[in-house]
Amino acid sequence: MKNSINTVEKKYNVWIVILSIAIPVVVALLFGVNLRKLGFDVQPLSFLPPIYATINGLTAIVLFTAVWAIKNGKQKLHENLMKFAISLSVAFLTMYVAYHMTSDSTIFGDSDHNGMLDDMEKASLGLIRYGYYFILITHIALSVIIIPFVLLTYVRALSKSFIRHKKLARITYPMWLYVAVTGVIVYIMIRPYYAH
């Protein structure tokens, strides 16, 4: 049994390493590409931020419900909810990249929408600005760190190594929940500064 578990995990471990490196690198590269500035005739996808913020919120609810399900012995429901949570995260990432490839970046506190934060705008934000950047930076950092954790936790469930799955899930779940919830908070905080 242990050999079959090792075989399943070894088969996926290579992909976990590849995806854990490739996803953040590709996102970072695409994040820096603005199709409009490169001369492509594309409309800004300015309708996406509230949609992907909602997806983050839904992910948090799904994660919470999945933990409730497994604690109540509903293994199949837990499994389906976790697959749904992964799908939601993929949808979020796709929309997030699409938005940033077609739209100018929004600066927190840029109330006159000129793409710069002047001294008056900084002063009007006060300490909230530091709170926003703390939440944003921890959100981004954990969204990169969480990738191998989610994939490893999922593979341990696939290989039916449930004790190891549960052990890792205790680390993965709070990080993933934090990323989902702070994604909503970041959107709510920056929403007033989106150009309309």
Side-chain angles (χ1 to χ4, degrees):
M1 180 70 177
K2 193 170 183 182
N3 284 342
S4 68
I5 288 170
N6 289 340
T7 305
V8 170
E9 288 189 21
K10 280 180 186 171
K11 183 174 110 175
Y12 287 106
N13 281 345
V14 174
W15 284 108
I16 290 169
V17 170
I18 291 168
L19 290 172
S20 297
I21 294 168
I23 291 171
V25 168
V26 169
V27 169
L29 291 173
L30 292 177
F31 191 82
V33 172
N34 186 312
L35 295 174
R36 289 172 46 234
K37 288 180 180 173
L38 291 173
F40 291 92
D41 186 26
V42 293
Q43 291 297 313
L45 301 175
S46 54
F47 63 91
L48 284 178
I51 296 171
Y52 62 67
T54 302
I55 287 174
N56 263 327
L58 184 55
T59 302
I61 293 166
V62 169
L63 290 171
F64 183 81
T65 308
V67 169
W68 170 86
I70 200 64
K71 284 184 176 182
N72 286 280
K74 301 173 187 297
Q75 188 174 340
K76 191 64 183 170
L77 177 60
H78 172 77
E79 180 185 335
N80 289 336
L81 287 168
M82 293 314 300
K83 287 177 183 175
F84 186 42
I86 291 170
S87 300
L88 288 170
S89 293
V90 170
F92 163 82
L93 194 57
T94 303
M95 289 183 205
Y96 182 79
V97 169
Y99 169 75
H100 284 284
M101 287 182 70
T102 61
S103 307
D104 295 327
S105 289
T106 301
I107 298 171
F108 181 70
D110 182 20
S111 52
D112 61 8
H113 308 292
N114 67 352
M116 295 182 298
L117 206 58
D118 61 37
D119 290 336
M120 260 180 54
E121 288 169 326
K122 285 180 189 173
S124 71
L125 290 172
L127 293 176
I128 297 223
R129 183 166 161 248
Y130 298 105
Y132 170 80
Y133 284 113
F134 174 80
I135 294 168
L136 179 65
I137 289 165
T138 56
H139 169 80
I140 291 169
L142 281 177
S143 70
V144 172
I145 293 167
I146 195 69
I147 296 168
F149 280 90
V150 169
L151 296 174
L152 280 168
T153 305
Y154 185 69
V155 166
R156 286 183 180 180
L158 278 181
S159 67
K160 301 195 184 317
S161 181
F162 294 119
I163 293 170
R164 292 170 67 238
H165 166 79
K166 184 177 178 181
K167 200 174 190 179
L168 189 56
R170 286 186 175 144
I171 299 166
T172 305
Y173 170 68
M175 280 198 297
W176 197 355
L177 190 62
Y178 180 86
V179 169
V181 170
T182 54
V184 177
I185 294 168
V186 165
Y187 169 73
I188 290 168
M189 290 180 81
I190 201 166
R191 186 179 66 169
Y193 306 107
Y194 282 116
H196 300 292

